C-alpha cells in the first residue's frame, strides 16, 4: 500500500515537472505570456466627443489654407460643398441605424446647408499648410493650434452645446484639395491615451484621399475615432491606436473585415460608394466606443489596450 502511494506521488511529481517545463518553454517562445498584465487607460477627459450616446453635433468647417482654397463663387466648389452636406447626412443616418443594433438611440444635429448659422463655417488659415507636419504634430502629437484657434475665435461651441442640448461636438474640417494631392489624407485629432490641450476633437476630411473622392464611410470612420474607435487595418506603429499588434490586425483581416474601422469601401466589390455605407460596426468597434460592454477575448489574447470605456475593476 505504502509502495503504491509513493509511486502515485512520484508520477504526480513527474507530471508537475513536465507541465512546468512546457509552460516555461511556451512562455520563453512567447506562445503564452506569464507576465502579461492587461492594459487599461486612465483618461477621464475625453474631449468634445465623449461618448457616442445621446445627442451629438457635427460642426462643418470648410477651411482654406495657403495651398487649398474653397471658392464658393464657383459652381464646382458649391457642388462639392453640397456633396459634403449629403455625405454627412448619410453618415449620421448610418450611425443611427448601427446604434439601433446595439440598443442605442443616438441623435445628431448637423448643417444641412450653408445657411446654418451655428453648425456651418467657412474660414481661411492664410499662412498655414494644414498638412505641414500633420503626422508628427497633428495625428500623433494630437495638437492643431491653428485649427483650434480658428474654432476658439469663430465658433461659439458653448452655445452649440446649450442650443442643441448636445453631449458631444465633433468638428468636420473639409479641405478642398485636388485628386493629385496625394499627401492629403483623412485623419482625426482625438483624445486616446491622454487628454487634449484643447478639447476640440477634429476630423480632417480632404475632398480626395489617395486619389479617391471623399465618401460618407470616410466621414463615419474618422468620426468614430473621436469616440474611441481604433483602426483595425494597421498595427499601432506610432503609439496612438491602442497598442494593436500585427497578429491582431491579421486576425481582423480574417474575422472582422466588414468593420468600418477595417476599411471604408464595399468589402466584396472594393467600390467606394458615395450614396451609402456598405460596412458595419462589429462587436469590436462597438467595444471601443462603449456600445459593447463585454470585453472581447481578442483584447487580452492579442495584448491590445482596453477600450476607454472598459475600466480596470
Ligand atoms: Zn482610421
Amino acid at each position: 500500500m505504502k509502495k503504491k502511494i509513493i509511486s502515485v506521488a512520484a508520477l504526480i511529481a513527474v507530471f508537475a515537472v513536465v507541465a512546468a517545463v512546457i509552460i516555461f518553454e511556451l512562455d520563453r517562445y512567447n506562445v503564452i505570456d506569464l507576465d502579461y498584465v492587461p492594459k487599461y487607460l486612465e483618461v477621464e477627459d475625453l474631449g468634445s466627443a465623449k461618448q457616442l450616446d445621446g445627442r451629438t453635433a457635427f460642426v462643418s468647417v470648410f477651411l482654406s489654407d495657403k495651398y487649398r482654397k474653397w471658392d464658393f463663387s464657383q459652381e464646382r466648389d458649391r457642388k462639392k460643398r453640397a456633396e459634403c452636406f449629403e455625405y454627412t447626412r448619410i453618415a449620421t443616418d448610418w450611425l443611427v441605424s448601427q446604434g439601433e443594433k446595439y440598443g442605442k438611440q443616438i441623435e445628431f444635429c448637423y448643417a444641412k446647408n450653408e445657411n446654418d448659422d451655428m453648425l456651418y463655417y467657412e474660414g481661411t488659415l492664410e499662412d498655414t499648410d494644414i498638412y505641414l507636419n500633420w503626422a508628427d504634430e497633428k495625428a500623433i502629437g494630437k495638437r492643431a493650434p491653428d485649427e483650434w484657434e480658428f474654432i476658439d475665435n469663430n465658433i461659439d461651441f458653448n452655445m452649440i452645446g446649450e442650443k442643441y442640448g448636445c453631449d458631444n461636438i465633433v468638428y468636420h474640417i473639409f479641405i478642398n484639395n485636388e485628386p493629385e494631392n496625394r499627401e492629403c489624407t483623412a485623419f482625426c485629432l482625438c483624445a486616446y491615451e491622454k487628454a487634449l490641450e484643447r478639447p476640440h476633437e477634429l476630423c480632417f476630411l480632404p475632398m480626395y484621399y489617395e486619389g479617391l473622392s471623399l465618401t460618407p464611410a470616410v466621414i463615419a470612420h474618422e468620426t468614430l475615432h473621436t469616440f474611441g474607435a481604433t483602426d483595425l487595418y494597421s498595427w499601432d506603429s506610432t503609439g496612438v491606436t491602442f497598442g494593436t499588434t500585427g497578429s491582431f490586425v491579421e486576425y481582423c483581416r480574417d474575422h472582422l473585415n466588414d468593420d468600418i474601422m477595417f476599411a471604408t469601401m464595399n468589402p466584396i466589390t472594393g467600390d467606394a460608394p458615395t450614396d451609402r455605407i456598405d460596412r458595419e460596426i462589429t462587436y469590436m468597434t462597438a467595444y471601443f466606443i462603449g456600445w459593447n460592454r463585454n470585453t472581447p477575448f481578442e483584447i487580452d489574447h492579442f495584448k491590445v489596450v482596453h477600450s476607454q470605456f472598459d475600466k480596470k475593476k
Side-chain angles (χ1 to χ4, degrees):
M1 181 66 178
K2 203 173 170 187
K3 224 174 182 177
K4 207 171 179 183
I5 291 171
I6 290 169
S7 60
V8 169
L11 211 60
I12 291 172
V14 169
F15 271 124
V17 169
V18 171
V21 169
I22 290 172
I23 289 170
F24 177 77
E25 289 300 312
L26 288 174
D27 186 43
R28 193 155 76 97
Y29 288 101
N30 292 325
V31 179
I32 59 171
D33 185 357
L34 294 177
D35 301 322
Y36 174 65
V37 179
K39 298 172 208 120
Y40 290 90
L41 291 167
E42 289 175 11
V43 187
E44 296 304 326
D45 180 357
L46 296 178
S48 63
K50 296 170 189 65
Q51 185 165 8
L52 192 45
D53 215 339
R55 190 182 274 248
T56 296
F58 290 154
V59 178
S60 298
V61 184
F62 289 77
L63 204 57
S64 298
D65 72 0
K66 199 170 169 183
Y67 301 109
R68 308 160 193 97
K69 313 276 184 204
W70 284 106
D71 177 359
F72 296 121
S73 68
Q74 302 293 319
E75 171 63 24
R76 179 174 178 258
D77 284 4
R78 288 199 300 274
K79 187 167 172 284
K80 281 197 216 170
R81 179 174 61 182
E83 286 168 357
C84 292
F85 293 133
E86 176 63 1
Y87 298 168
T88 302
R89 182 193 68 75
I90 293 167
T92 58
D93 287 353
W94 179 83
L95 286 165
V96 168
S97 67
Q98 292 292 307
E100 285 167 1
K101 287 196 318 186
Y102 294 92
K104 295 284 171 191
Q105 283 193 316
I106 53 174
E107 292 178 305
F108 294 95
C109 22
Y110 54 92
K112 294 179 179 63
N113 56 50
E114 65 277 18
N115 301 317
D116 192 314
D117 290 341
M118 296 290 282
L119 300 174
Y120 169 82
Y121 297 86
E122 294 169 21
T124 304
L125 301 178
E126 263 324 328
D127 303 321
T128 305
D129 174 358
I130 286 174
Y131 281 92
L132 182 70
N133 297 327
W134 70 267
D136 290 343
E137 181 165 46
K138 291 199 175 85
I140 301 169
K142 311 253 176 136
R143 294 183 76 255
D146 296 329
E147 291 81 354
W148 282 341
E149 193 184 330
F150 176 84
I151 291 170
D152 283 336
N153 291 341
N154 295 282
I155 302 175
D156 191 343
F157 42 87
N158 291 321
M159 181 68 98
I160 290 172
E162 274 172 40
K163 183 177 172 191
Y164 295 101
C166 292
D167 305 296
N168 308 290
I169 300 180
V170 179
Y171 301 87
H172 289 158
I173 312 251
F174 294 103
I175 298 160
N176 195 18
N177 69 321
E178 297 299 328
E180 56 274 17
N181 294 152
R182 297 182 79 90
E183 79 282 6
C184 297
T185 184
F187 69 100
C188 78
L189 194 85
C190 58
Y192 154 54
E193 79 289 15
K194 61 176 184 187
L196 299 173
E197 282 169 46
R198 298 287 302 136
H200 316 310
E201 292 189 83
L202 319 174
C203 298
F204 289 85
L205 302 164
M207 288 302 96
Y208 297 95
Y209 165 55
E210 293 183 356
L212 297 170
S213 86
L214 181 69
T215 63
V218 172
I219 296 176
H221 175 109
E222 296 306 330
T223 300
L224 284 164
H225 274 308
T226 68
F227 287 101
T230 191
D231 283 325
L232 304 180
Y233 66 86
S234 67
W235 66 283
D236 187 359
S237 58
T238 50
V240 295
T241 51
F242 291 81
T244 51
T245 58
S247 51
F248 175 73
V249 169
E250 265 176 46
Y251 178 89
C252 293
R253 191 176 301 134
D254 291 340
H255 300 281
L256 295 166
N257 55 21
D258 59 345
D259 194 295
I260 192 155
M261 301 313 289
F262 180 78
T264 53
M265 59 281 282
N266 180 294
I268 295 160
T269 63
D271 294 342
T274 54
D275 62 345
R276 63 186 190 279
I277 297 178
D278 289 340
R279 295 213 148 247
E280 298 296 320
I281 290 181
T282 68
Y283 66 89
M284 186 61 72
T285 291
Y287 164 73
F288 279 105
I289 61 173
W291 285 1
N292 167 15
R293 292 293 180 164
N294 301 315
T295 310
F297 84 90
E298 295 92 334
I299 298 301
D300 287 320
H301 182 78
F302 293 106
K303 301 175 191 168
V304 174
V305 177
H306 283 233
S307 148
Q308 293 174 330
F309 305 100
D310 187 359
K311 295 294 178 193
K312 196 172 182 176
K313 312 283 181 306

